[in-house]
Structure formats: structure tokens, C-alpha cells
Amino acid sequence: MNTLLKIQGFIPFIIILFLNATTDLAHKITIQNVLLKSFDGDLLIILTAIVNAMILLPFILLFSSSGFISDKFSKTKVIRWSAFASIFLTLIITLAYYQGWFYTAFMMTLLLATQSAIYSPAKYGMIKELVGVDELGKANGVVQAVTIVAILLSSIVFSIIFEAFYVDDAAQTPVTILQNLAPLGWILVGLTIVETFMTLRLPIFKASDASGTFLVIPFLKGAYLRDNLKRVYSNRNIWQSIIGLSVFWGVGQLVVAAFPAHYKMMTADSNAVVIQLILAVSAIGIVMGSLIAGRLSNHHIELGIVPVGGFGVAMSLIMFALSQEAINMGIASFLFGLFGGLLIVPLNTNIQFFAKDKEMGIIMAGNNFIQNIAMILFLIASIVLVKLSLSTIDMFSFAAIMMTLAAIYGMIRMPHLFLRIIMIPILKFRSKINVQGIDNLPQSGGVMLLGNHISWIDWMILQVASPRAIKFVMDRGIYNKWYLNWFLRQFDLIPISHGASKEAFVMIKERLDRGEVVALFPEGLISYNGQINSFKKGFEKSLENSDVPIVPFYMRGLWGSSFSRASSHFQSVSKIGRRRDIIIAFGEPIATNASSETVRSKVLELSYQTWETYLGSLKPMQYHWLDKVKSAKRRQAIVDSTGAKLNNAKMLTAVLLFMSKLKKLLKGEENVGVLLPASAAGAIVNMALFVMGKK
């Protein structure tokens, strides 16, 4: 988090996100609350759905034009002009409030949404330019959390303001209710002025190299739409991420549309503050889920939590449907947000990672386009379900089924996500994973990954680090074991024998030609000493007549784990008192025709760089000694030729006692000479001086 806050322009950027979301939601909440006080039953659900549809339609209709603007012009300038336009829009809204022009205020919801749709691709497309690839996952967690906090505060604060100005009178109409709320308009104007000022503090990013002119006739004929949708659909990683997000936000729209009537039916209460408070609790959940997802995605994209999020959202929807008390609805709302955050942050990050810089605007606009179509469809579905005389309980059950099917589909289409669910408990709680050089992994096209082989779970670790699905080459003897084969087949692994395996080389080439990522451990066996052994030349045959790049990788931190071939003594020593620091480093792509010796030398270079980075991050030796001593006090620490035998507890006690004596003797002295034989006493004195910070 501290790293992000130090990036120039990141703080103004998140303030802009906060203010923009607050302004949009403030007006929407006001209109929705006017509807809540003025209408009931089916009509209330339909009108609420129409308001939400007005917010969504501009993102659909302006797909091609907003993406073109974001790619053609500087994203910073697009954001500035859009923020400036919002000042004039809120001034018109304020006038509508004072005059009681309900339908004008109602339609201004559409214009505010149009302004958001125009600069949304620039806003979210800027994240990658602002923070870079390494911090992309964490930044998306923060962005999502800040946006949801804005939604949370808007829902609560502006509902409270609404109830404070609302006069409970049977004679009240939408016109009179709106006039009572007129001062609220000036708050909206103030928010947009501050937002515009903050845009002046953003760094200027140059426009991408996108060229051409936006032509009206092709736009009206749908030529741009067809071309842009092809671009979005062409990358499977982007397309599947967008579909996952679309289902979630579509379900969210159904919940927002149906919940006021559901709450009224289940509790016989229509208090706008309570209704908005329950919905706002989901925002707290999304904030927590987003921050957790951002933390899990530190320096990589953690897609493994996506199916967990999908099943969790489905569970919360069932709880929504069955709850009859506000407190239980609040818990369901929190869980909906929590699991939703786990789902949306990795998917948003995945889209930004795989989108090319020249097409970022189009991809982000396409994301908006498809998501908003899904939300419109779910809103239409809510109206259809009402017309079919189905209850809100049935509507929540329908949404739960949709989320469950989406989660199952994701696991079937991308089984490596299921693998990551299994690996998260094993890796995250006892290990700290750091991925370096992720931007060296091409976003599309065939790639051959070659690196060191240190443990039985190297393939799992590598998949956790990669945002792209990897097809691994593994020993045929293990692959053919009856109790593993059924499981390994789900991941489309490539079996290879120890000798020449022409069939395996053909399979590798086929997958590379299809644009997939294939990983192979050219050492041919797991290391017996933690060092990098010689590389076999087999992979060279699979790359003949091919032009896919080779990306070397190096894994540090698995030697000494229970999954490695390290001795039991070394394993026990290496795990005392600390989490295992695992680093996966990807090197720069090298030529397809590189020899095994060249690839090995690149992996060795990566190992030097990785160890240098790791050692530079460590605290001085005495800190680690204290950690290990405290975690295993009874373990034997030292013996010498005099017969002295000390465990860690006694060693620590002796060091502390010597420190108290040495402080008096060495007051003001920095450099100390020690003349003692190799003994327990010598070790104690040396360690005492280390802990004191002496040289």
C-alpha cells in the first residue's frame, strides 16, 4: 500500500474515483428514494429498474466512441474535460431540484451516466500506466475498495439527508419531495468542482499510437461495433474475465432492483435509510474482499479465488431470499460484497494485464459494453419475473442459480483455477510468494517456459505465478499412474518419457502453435542439492521451425521445503520461526533457436539477480537469529570442546546478560576487537555485540 501511495498521481487518482462515484450515486439514490416514497409493489420494481437501465444504457450505446476517445487522446485530458462537464450537469440538476422538475431530474440521471461512460475507459485504462504491471493487482484492489467506499457513504449519507428533508405527508408528490431536497444540489456541484481540481494534479500520459478518424456513418451502421467486439473476443483471457464480471454485476443489478420491494414484503417497513443501509453493508464487504484480493495478488494476478467468490455470492443470495429480519439481510448483504470483491478484483486486473496499450480504451469500453448489456438483461429479467407473478424470493433464487452455473463454468473451462483453490491454503499461510518480471511473459501467443526444477510442486507454484494457463510437460511414468491420471488429464498435461519422445515433441509444438503457454523443466529431474543442473536438449526439437519466444524462469525458496529432496535435518532447520519466502522470476524472452547452454546461462543470471534482490530485503543477521531462537527455545544451539552445551533459551539468556555488562564497558565505542578461542563463550560475546549493533 505504501508503495502505491508514493507513485506520482495515485492519490489524486483515487480521490477522483471517490468523488465521481459519490456524485453519480448521490443523484441516483435521491431519485430512487423519491420513487420509494411515491410508489409501491410491481410499479416500484419496474421504475427502479428503469432508473438503473438509464445509468447502464450510455455504456452500451457509447462503446465504440468512448473507446476511440480513450485510445486517440491523452487519458489525462479525457478525464479533465469529463470532470469539467460534470460541473454543468450538476448545476442543471440543482435547478431541477429547486423548480420541482421531477422528470428533468429523472432524465439527468441519463446525462450523468453518459458523462461517466465517456471517460470510464480512460479512467480504468490509466491504472496500468500509472502503477505498472507489478502493482496492478494491488492497485485494482485499492481502486475497487475506494469506489465501493464512495458508494457506501453515498448510500448512507444521502439517504439520511433525504429522510431529514422529507416531510411525511400524504399530500406529498414527486415534485414537492424534490423541492424539499433542493439544497442537496449544491453539494453535488461542490463535489464536481473538487473533482475537476484534482484532475489537474494527474500526470500527463501521452496518447497511444492509435490513429484514424471516427466516422459517423460506419458508427451508425455498426461497423465499429463489430470490429471492436472481435478485438475483445479474440483474447480468451479477456473475454472470459469480462463474462465473469458481467454475470456478477448483472446479478447485482437484480438485487438492487428487487431488494426495496423484498424488504417491504418481508418486514412491512419502508424506511429508506434502513434499506440503503442494508445495501450499503455489501459495500463494506466488497471493500474487505477487494483488499484481501489485492493482498493475495501482490506482484501477480491471483485468479484462484474467482470460483470461491462465485460460490460465495450464490450462497449469500440464498440467504437473502430466506431472511425475514433486517439483521440477517445485512449479513447476507455483507457476504455478497465480500465474495464479490474476491471475484471482481482478479478479473479486472486480468483484463488490464492482457489488454494491449494501443487497445486499452477499446477493451475497457468493451468491458463496460458487455457488463452493461448483462445488467440490462438482468433488469429486464427482473421485470419479466414480476410479470410472471414470481416473488422476490424466486428472483433471488434465480440469481443464485446463475452465479453457481457461472462458477462451475469457470472451473470447467479453466481447471487451473481449481488447482489454485487447492494451493492457496498450502502456499499463502506458510509462504510469502513474490513474482518478479511478470511483464516479461507475453500477453498472448505461444510461449515456451524453461527453468529450474527444485520440488515436486514446481508446476503448481509456476501456475500460481502466471496469469495465463500453462500446459506442463511431465514424466510419463507419473502421468500414467492410475490414481493420478484421471486428475492430471483435466489439466491437459503433456506426458514425456525419459528417452526420446517424438509424440511429446509433436504435442508441445501443436500447443505452442495454438498460442498456448507450455512449461518444461529441462533438467529432467528434481535437484538433489538445490543447484541448477545441466539442461537436456530435448526442448530444442519441439521448437524446430517455430518462432515462439522462450521465457526463462527461476524459482527460489522451495529448496528445504517438505516437497524438495533436501535432507530431513535441512528441512527442519530451514523452516524454523518464519514463513517461506518463495520468489518466481521471469526473465526477458530469448530467441526460439537458443541452445540448452544459452537457456541455462539465462536461468543462472536470473538466479543471481533473484538472490541479490532477496538478500537485499533481509534484516541484519541478529534479527533472524532472535526469531529462530524464540521459535525453538529448547533446540540445541551450541557445543564446544570444553563440554559446554546450550539450548536456544540458555544461549539467549547468556547473550542478554553479556549485553548488560558490555554496554557499560563499551559506552561510546563502535568498533570492538574480540580475542577469544572458538568456544561457547566466544559465540555468546560475538552475538551480544551483533545484537548491540557493534562492529
Side-chain angles (χ1 to χ4, degrees):
M1 183 66 177
N2 290 334
T3 306
L4 288 175
L5 296 180
K6 292 177 182 177
I7 295 174
Q8 182 187 0
F10 187 74
I11 293 178
F13 179 72
I14 59 176
I15 293 174
I16 291 166
L17 293 179
F18 179 87
L19 295 174
N20 179 253
T22 300
T23 304
D24 288 351
L25 261 293
H27 179 63
K28 175 191 171 187
I29 291 295
T30 301
I31 296 298
Q32 282 187 334
N33 287 337
V34 172
L35 295 175
L36 180 67
K37 296 297 184 181
S38 306
F39 305 96
D40 291 294
D42 293 353
L43 183 58
L44 174 58
I45 294 178
I46 292 171
L47 289 174
T48 304
I50 291 173
V51 171
N52 284 284
M54 290 170 63
I55 294 172
L56 305 177
L57 276 173
F59 289 91
I60 297 173
L61 299 176
L62 299 176
F63 164 32
S64 298
S65 52
S66 63
F68 175 84
I69 290 170
S70 178
D71 288 334
K72 180 69 174 177
F73 304 102
S74 165
K75 293 179 175 61
T76 306
K77 292 182 179 179
V78 173
I79 292 173
R80 285 180 183 174
W81 281 106
S82 298
F84 186 70
S86 66
I87 297 176
F88 292 95
L89 294 176
T90 52
L91 284 171
I92 296 172
I93 289 172
T94 303
L95 177 62
Y97 286 0
Y98 273 103
Q99 297 299 320
W101 297 339
F102 174 72
Y103 292 105
T104 301
F106 193 84
M107 292 305 298
M108 287 305 297
T109 307
L110 181 64
L111 291 181
L112 268 182
T114 301
Q115 178 259 356
S116 293
I118 290 174
Y119 95 108
S120 179
K123 181 172 60 177
Y124 288 102
M126 182 184 280
I127 299 174
K128 187 176 179 180
E129 294 185 40
L130 200 60
V131 305
V133 173
D134 286 346
E135 301 292 337
L136 196 54
K138 194 186 298 182
N140 270 280
V142 174
V143 166
Q144 195 65 56
V146 168
T147 303
I148 298 303
V149 166
I151 296 172
L152 169 65
L153 292 179
S154 297
S155 301
I156 297 174
V157 172
F158 288 98
S159 290
I160 292 174
I161 293 174
F162 179 90
E163 291 289 345
F165 283 97
Y166 175 71
V167 179
D168 193 2
D169 186 345
Q172 288 278 36
T173 65
V175 173
T176 57
I177 294 173
L178 207 58
Q179 287 176 326
N180 292 333
L181 298 170
L184 189 149
W186 293 114
I187 298 177
L188 303 184
V189 174
L191 291 173
T192 55
I193 291 173
V194 176
E195 178 188 353
T196 304
F197 173 76
M198 295 307 298
T199 62
L200 301 177
R201 302 190 63 184
L202 290 175
I204 297 290
F205 291 104
K206 294 181 179 179
S208 66
D209 295 333
S211 58
T213 304
F214 191 82
L215 302 175
V216 177
I217 300 301
F219 170 70
L220 295 176
K221 289 184 176 180
Y224 288 132
L225 176 62
R226 290 190 296 271
D227 181 57
N228 292 335
L229 282 176
K230 284 181 182 178
R231 284 198 249 179
V232 174
Y233 182 76
S234 63
N235 190 307
R236 179 182 172 187
N237 293 287
I238 292 176
W239 177 253
Q240 291 181 338
S241 296
I242 290 175
I243 294 300
L245 288 169
S246 299
V247 173
F248 172 75
W249 289 118
V251 167
Q253 283 298 312
L254 188 147
V255 170
V256 170
F259 183 71
H262 181 71
Y263 179 81
K264 248 183 174 180
M265 180 185 73
M266 302 296 280
T267 65
D269 180 29
S270 64
N271 189 301
V273 174
V274 175
I275 292 173
Q276 294 301 333
L277 187 61
I278 291 174
L279 290 175
V281 168
S282 68
I284 298 176
I286 291 184
V287 170
M288 293 185 63
S290 298
L291 293 176
I292 292 171
R295 184 178 180 84
L296 292 174
S297 300
N298 187 26
H299 295 298
H300 71 292
I301 304 173
E302 187 48 82
L303 289 171
I305 55 180
V306 172
V308 175
F311 287 120
V313 169
M315 176 194 69
S316 70
L317 290 167
I318 294 296
M319 189 174 178
F320 254 128
L322 301 178
S323 297
Q324 297 182 352
E325 298 178 358
I327 183 66
N328 292 332
M329 292 181 186
I331 294 172
S333 181
F334 173 79
L335 292 175
F336 181 87
L338 178 70
F339 288 107
L342 296 180
L343 185 147
I344 59 183
V345 168
L347 293 181
N348 273 323
T349 306
N350 207 45
I351 292 169
Q352 293 162 20
F353 173 80
F354 283 108
K356 298 176 181 177
D357 291 340
K358 294 181 180 180
E359 298 180 344
M360 181 66 76
I362 289 296
I363 296 300
M364 299 311 296
N367 184 27
N368 288 336
F369 176 79
I370 296 167
Q371 284 186 39
N372 283 278
I373 283 181
M375 288 189 273
I376 290 285
L377 291 175
F378 272 87
L379 288 173
I380 293 172
S382 67
I383 296 174
V384 171
L385 292 173
V386 168
K387 290 299 182 182
L388 292 174
S389 300
L390 296 178
S391 68
T392 52
I393 294 175
D394 297 323
M395 295 170 69
F396 280 111
S397 300
F398 166 75
I401 292 171
M402 292 299 296
M403 283 305 306
T404 302
L405 292 176
I408 293 173
Y409 172 80
M411 290 177 59
I412 292 174
R413 294 291 295 172
M414 294 180 285
H416 62 286
L417 295 187
F418 179 70
L419 171 66
R420 292 167 87 132
I421 297 174
I422 298 172
M423 289 304 300
I424 284 172
I426 299 173
L427 298 176
K428 297 292 184 180
F429 296 110
R430 289 299 299 168
S431 304
K432 179 182 177 184
I433 298 177
N434 185 359
V435 182
Q436 299 175 359
I438 190 66
D439 52 331
N440 288 324
L441 182 63
Q443 299 169 331
S444 61
V447 180
M448 173 68 87
L449 291 175
L450 300 172
N452 63 322
H453 200 6
I454 212 76
S455 76
W456 299 103
I457 61 170
D458 286 349
W459 65 289
M460 296 183 181
I461 298 291
L462 197 61
Q463 181 61 83
V464 168
S466 169
R468 297 183 64 181
I470 301 175
K471 309 300 181 185
F472 289 91
V473 181
M474 71 176 305
D475 181 76
R476 185 181 294 276
I478 298 175
Y479 181 85
N480 286 335
K481 292 184 183 297
W482 66 268
Y483 52 87
L484 291 177
N485 184 256
W486 67 272
F487 175 74
L488 297 175
R489 283 202 311 269
Q490 307 304 314
F491 301 98
D492 199 20
L493 300 181
I494 303 170
I496 189 170
S497 58
H498 286 294
S501 182
K502 184 178 180 180
E503 180 185 356
F505 296 144
V506 171
M507 292 174 68
I508 292 172
K509 191 173 189 314
E510 286 177 352
R511 283 161 174 74
L512 292 173
D513 291 341
R514 289 204 303 256
E516 297 180 359
V517 180
V518 177
L520 188 148
F521 301 103
E523 291 171 279
L525 48 80
I526 297 173
S527 176
Y528 281 90
N529 56 13
Q531 304 302 311
I532 299 175
N533 299 307
S534 60
F535 280 14
K536 301 185 184 304
K537 298 183 177 183
F539 71 87
E540 296 177 7
K541 296 181 181 179
S542 61
L543 292 174
E544 290 177 356
N545 302 317
S546 179
D547 59 352
V548 300
I550 295 173
V551 174
F553 66 86
Y554 176 78
M555 292 188 283
R556 193 221 76 84
L558 286 164
W559 177 252
S561 72
S562 55
F563 300 103
S564 69
R565 281 177 164 154
S567 66
S568 57
H569 173 70
F570 187 84
Q571 289 181 22
S572 65
V573 170
S574 66
K575 70 181 180 182
I576 295 175
R578 53 182 304 211
R579 297 173 69 192
R580 184 168 295 281
D581 288 307
I582 298 175
I583 299 176
I584 305 98
F586 294 96
E588 294 182 1
I590 55 181
T592 309
N593 60 357
S595 65
S596 58
E597 291 81 6
T598 300
V599 175
R600 183 176 182 274
S601 68
K602 292 295 182 182
V603 175
L604 281 171
E605 287 179 20
L606 272 179
S607 72
Y608 302 147
Q609 296 167 10
T610 302
W611 274 97
E612 184 177 1
T613 301
Y614 171 69
L615 293 174
S617 69
L618 297 179
K619 294 180 179 179
M621 181 187 71
Q622 57 267 34
Y623 286 88
H624 294 282
W625 178 77
L626 288 170
D627 285 341
K628 291 203 173 193
V629 165
K630 288 187 291 184
S631 66
K633 297 182 181 66
R634 296 183 180 277
R635 184 182 293 273
Q636 182 172 287
I638 194 167
V639 296
D640 68 11
S641 58
T642 67
K645 242 183 214 185
L646 299 176
N647 61 23
N648 280 329
K650 291 179 180 179
M651 178 77 171
L652 178 60
T653 302
V655 167
L656 294 175
L657 289 173
F658 269 83
M659 282 176 61
S660 64
K661 297 292 185 183
L662 292 171
K663 281 180 182 177
K664 298 176 183 178
L665 294 173
L666 303 174
K667 190 174 182 180
E669 297 290 342
E670 182 179 0
N671 301 309
V672 182
V674 179
L675 294 176
L676 286 172
S679 60
I684 291 168
V685 170
N686 271 288
M687 189 54 70
L689 293 171
F690 269 125
V691 175
M692 292 169 62
K694 303 295 183 180
K695 295 179 182 177

